[in-house]
């Protein structure tokens, strides 16, 4: 159950103060009855809410795509360092967003922010093997067996065996790497295992959903319904959540 003022404010109908004013004016109906109290609780799954004559599609799950800039931690808070949540507006911070999955502090690109714990959990579960594609710049020269090693599964730090991955060389010192799991510093360690040292890393896509290149570094936008459904489906979270 959710408070009606919080639910509607999160859905972008106005501030909680605005919603209180709507309640006072008798503009909000819950299951056909005029709502008298901005603190009234509703069940977003079953209750019907009409605001200013419009029937609402109630939602509590919010997910955003961010173009993460370098220099920010993929964390909700940190005592010393700036986190990606510092890049979020006051209005969206209220939603309780957190990063689903991580990019290193010096990495850039597609970071998912959500307030939906089940969605984040499903998407980042190790057994899910959701593809992630990265653009990489590196120093050094990758050995001639690098593509084969990636395809067969690179052993990193002489010990951990990674799942088969993709390596596509672009120009000198540039490549696209596709991995299906999310180990600590995985791409950097894989490139290092075949002779290179990553100097720049940007995540381009998660599953079939690509980073919106119109997002400036630090910019973010809500996932479209289609993008959300695609990610929910590939992560095994099939039920419609929005
Ligand atoms: N692999 C890395 O090494 N770093 C990232 O930020 C993401 C994948």
């Amino acid at each position: 159950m959710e408070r009606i003022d919080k639910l509607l404010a999160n859905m972008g109908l106005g501030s909680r103060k605005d919603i209180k004013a709507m309640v006072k004016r008798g503009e909000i109906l819950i299951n056909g009855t005029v709502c008298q109290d901005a603190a009234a609780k509703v069940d977003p799954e079953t209750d019907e809410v009409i605001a200013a004559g419009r029937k609402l599609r109630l939602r509590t799950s919010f997910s955003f795509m961010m173009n993460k800039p370098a220099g920010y931690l993929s964390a909700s808070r940190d005592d010393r360092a700036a986190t990606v949540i510092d890049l979020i507006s006051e209005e969206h911070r209220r939603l309780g967003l957190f990063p689903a999955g991580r990019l290193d502090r010096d990495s850039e690109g597609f970071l998912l922010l959500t307030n939906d714990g089940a969605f984040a959990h499903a998407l980042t579960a190790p057994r899910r093997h959701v593809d992630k594609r990265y653009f990489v710049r590196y120093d050094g020269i990758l050995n001639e067996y690098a593509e084969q090693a990636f395809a067969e599964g690179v052993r990193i730090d002489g010990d951990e065996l990674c799942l088969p991955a993709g390596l596509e060389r672009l120009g000198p010192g540039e490549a696209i790497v596709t991995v299906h799991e999310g180990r600590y510093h995985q791409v950097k360690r894989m490139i290092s295992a075949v002779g290179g040292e990553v100097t720049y890393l940007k995540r381009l896509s998660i599953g079939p959903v690509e980073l919106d290149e119109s997002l400036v570094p630090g910019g973010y936008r809500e996932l479209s319904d289609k993008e959300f459904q695609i990610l929910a489906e590939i992560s095994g979270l099939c039920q419609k959540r929005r």
Side-chain angles (χ1 to χ4, degrees):
M1 301 287 271
E2 299 277 336
R3 275 177 66 126
I4 189 82
D5 55 351
K6 182 175 176 215
L7 182 72
L8 300 191
N10 283 352
M11 285 169 51
L13 268 78
S15 64
R16 274 166 93 153
K17 211 164 142 204
D18 296 333
I19 309 298
K20 275 196 184 94
M22 289 176 83
V23 168
K24 256 206 177 128
R25 294 196 297 268
E27 288 176 4
I28 296 185
L29 274 69
I30 302 175
N31 299 325
T33 304
V34 176
C35 171
Q36 309 279 3
D37 181 3
K41 296 272 176 95
V42 287
D43 181 344
E45 297 290 325
T46 55
D47 288 333
E48 184 189 277
V49 174
I50 294 177
R54 190 162 61 93
K55 183 172 172 233
L56 302 179
R57 185 166 65 109
L58 301 181
R59 1 182 341 222
T60 54
S61 164
F62 295 90
S63 300
F64 292 77
M65 164 192 297
M66 174 182 274
N67 183 2
K68 177 192 174 297
Y72 290 82
L73 286 183
S74 299
S76 299
R77 71 173 74 92
D78 190 89
D79 290 342
R80 280 165 294 171
T83 76
V84 290
I85 300 300
D86 295 326
L87 298 164
I88 300 286
S89 72
E90 207 50 58
E91 177 201 347
H92 292 126
R93 226 177 273 185
R94 276 201 317 243
L95 297 173
L97 300 173
F98 57 88
R102 278 165 191 282
L103 284 172
D104 295 337
R105 187 169 171 172
D106 58 355
S107 297
E108 299 183 4
F110 190 170
L111 185 70
L112 248 163
L113 298 165
T114 186
N115 68 348
D116 187 331
F119 178 50
H121 182 73
L123 202 60
T124 55
R127 70 194 151 80
R128 279 291 160 202
H129 306 315
V130 175
D131 284 9
K132 285 156 207 114
R133 248 174 76 245
Y134 297 88
F135 170 75
V136 176
R137 283 201 193 100
Y138 56 88
D139 284 342
I141 296 177
L142 304 190
N143 69 44
E144 59 185 303
Y145 308 110
E147 282 85 352
Q148 195 187 339
F150 268 55
E152 287 172 1
V154 172
R155 198 169 282 283
I156 47 182
D157 298 337
D159 177 27
E160 277 177 66
L161 185 61
C162 295
L163 285 178
L167 173 67
E168 185 194 335
R169 292 184 216 228
L170 300 174
E174 291 185 349
I176 299 286
V177 171
T178 307
V179 298
H180 315 289
E181 53 188 338
R183 293 168 192 265
Y184 181 65
H185 292 334
Q186 178 159 1
V187 174
K188 291 175 182 165
R189 289 155 79 206
M190 287 172 85
I191 291 287
S192 158
V194 294
E197 187 189 339
V198 170
T199 56
Y200 176 81
L201 186 63
K202 179 177 180 181
R203 182 150 68 199
L204 304 175
S205 58
I206 300 177
V209 178
E210 310 247 341
L211 174 67
D212 181 341
E213 290 288 350
S214 72
L215 290 172
V216 295
Y220 63 94
R221 66 153 171 83
E222 197 167 0
L223 287 184
S224 68
D225 280 355
K226 189 166 170 215
E227 288 166 338
F228 180 85
Q229 291 306 332
I230 289 172
L231 292 176
E233 255 163 52
I234 61 170
S235 64
L237 190 82
C238 291
Q239 82 256 43
K240 203 162 160 44
R241 300 181 63 83
R242 334 156 91 188

